[in-house]
Amino acid sequence: MKLGTCLYEGESYVFIDVGTHLLLPGLDENDQEMAWFDMGILIADYEELKPKLERIIDLDNPALEIDYADVTYQAPHPHPNQNVMCLGLNYLEHAQESAQAFNKTGKAPQYPIIFTKAVSSITGHNATIPFDPDTCSELDWEVELAVIIGKQGRKITREQAYDYVFGYTVLNDLSARDIQRNHKQFFLGKSFDGACPMGPYIVTKDEIPNPHDLTISCRVNGIIKQEANTGLMIFDIPAIIETISRSQTLYPGDIIATGTPSGVGFARNPPEFLKPNDVVECEIGGIGVLKNQIGLSA
Ligand code: MG
């Protein structure tokens, strides 16, 4: 199932993307389930709501049908309860290119490197990313597979990990390299407004039997900058879930970005950065394309 969140006539709705159009269950006046307006509730109650969602898809009621062009996409889960957890240097070629940019030799990290992006940086498919040249001069792209947690858990083992996954989406871990460098830390440079586009929707895990065999790519103005496969991750999804949940409880709706492959702007020769009007498309096979344009902001 492809589930997301959109604005329609000024209101926020959960949608189901059925391939030809969207269905907005919340438009049914006789079925005002809270989950139809709040992805966090839908994720937490998914097992219970799944038969109802399947029935809505089967019925394909024209009263719930909306054209893609008539909505504004929000992030699929626009207001998670905690920061987006992110893996750093989780593809070997990216670890190497990052080290080379500082004249060092890159090797795979021994343990997963984990940082977070602020909830306030989350934005949706087709959103314009505010670019403030007074604050940032080195805006960079990072396509990533994001995992959405479906169930509360602590000390989750590798073997149990996928039981705790709800689904997957595409995430662009936009990064202000100069802020990152100047402040010696990931958080500030990766949490500016608009730094975390996600979407267009979450694909539930039943439709992605192997999340480690997906093509992953990023295009800037139509030119391929990153092209890899999610099978190349150093720490796979079970390892990531096992590591994080060893010390903290994971909750339904938590989001984990699994790291970016090589081809980012700062490691190119010469380095390349995003500028106003650039269009960034992040694509993961089996999920979809997340598209954003860079805009100017004060
Ligand atoms: Mg990243």
Side-chain angles (χ1 to χ4, degrees):
M1 218 177 284
K2 293 181 172 69
L3 300 164
T5 303
C6 66
L7 286 174
Y8 175 66
E9 294 186 340
E11 301 288 335
S12 184
Y13 290 89
V14 161
F15 67 76
I16 311 165
D17 187 333
V18 294
T20 46
H21 54 269
L22 304 176
L23 292 173
L24 274 50
L27 291 176
D28 184 345
E29 286 175 8
N30 299 315
D31 180 15
Q32 293 290 289
E33 188 86 63
M34 275 165 68
W36 303 160
F37 305 93
D38 185 332
M39 183 62 82
I41 296 173
L42 193 155
I43 293 169
D45 296 345
Y46 182 66
E47 285 311 314
E48 196 183 311
L49 293 168
K50 194 177 169 196
K52 210 168 174 182
L53 285 160
E54 285 169 343
R55 217 157 41 238
I56 291 168
I57 294 169
D58 285 346
L59 285 171
D60 202 15
N61 180 354
L64 310 186
E65 180 180 332
I66 299 295
D67 284 345
Y68 296 105
D70 292 337
V71 304
T72 302
Y73 284 86
Q74 296 178 278
H77 184 20
H79 308 293
N81 290 330
Q82 67 164 324
N83 283 1
V84 177
M85 291 166 267
C86 307
L87 271 283
L89 308 179
N90 199 27
Y91 287 78
L92 184 59
E93 284 186 10
H94 175 59
Q96 289 168 337
E97 71 175 359
S98 300
Q100 273 159 18
F102 297 100
N103 293 316
K104 291 178 184 161
T105 309
K107 51 183 192 302
Q110 192 181 353
Y111 298 102
I113 298 168
I114 300 168
F115 61 94
T116 72
K117 286 171 89 81
V119 171
S120 56
S121 68
I122 292 172
T123 192
H125 171 60
N126 284 341
T128 299
I129 308 301
F131 175 78
D132 177 1
D134 292 336
T135 309
C136 164
S137 57
E138 299 184 1
L139 181 60
D140 206 346
W141 54 84
E142 291 192 0
V143 61
E144 308 201 5
L145 173 69
V147 178
I148 318 296
I149 296 295
K151 197 165 86 167
Q152 183 174 330
R154 176 102 198 276
K155 298 200 170 163
I156 302 163
T157 63
R158 271 196 74 83
E159 293 68 33
Q160 300 166 320
Y162 287 112
D163 293 344
Y164 290 80
V165 172
F166 173 72
Y168 306 94
T169 192
V170 186
L171 184 150
N172 189 352
D173 177 17
L174 285 168
S175 304
R177 301 298 183 198
D178 44 354
I179 298 178
Q180 216 177 305
R181 192 172 55 243
N182 293 344
H183 295 270
K184 319 272 185 227
Q185 225 275 349
F186 292 116
F187 180 75
L188 198 59
K190 286 172 175 277
S191 288
F192 58 89
D193 293 350
C196 192
M198 275 188 274
Y201 39 68
I202 298 165
V203 180
T204 52
K205 68 176 171 189
D206 55 298
E207 291 192 16
I208 311 278
N210 182 4
H212 289 297
D213 187 21
L214 306 174
T215 55
I216 179 166
S217 62
C218 176
R219 298 182 291 277
V220 178
N221 302 327
I223 297 164
I224 296 172
K225 300 294 182 184
Q226 295 183 280
E227 198 170 31
N229 189 288
T230 55
L232 294 169
M233 280 181 211
I234 297 167
F235 299 103
D236 64 6
I237 292 164
I240 296 167
I241 290 177
E242 187 177 50
T243 301
I244 297 174
S245 73
R246 198 175 290 147
S247 56
Q248 71 175 82
T249 306
L250 286 172
Y251 294 94
D254 282 353
I255 300 165
I256 305 170
T258 55
T260 200
S262 62
V264 297
F266 87 92
R268 292 177 164 267
N269 190 11
E272 295 172 28
F273 297 107
L274 295 167
K275 50 192 190 309
N277 299 320
D278 282 351
V279 174
V280 189
E281 292 167 287
C282 293
E283 180 163 8
I284 298 181
I287 304 181
V289 181
L290 167 69
K291 184 176 174 181
N292 295 95
Q293 187 164 28
I294 309 302
L296 264 181
S297 85

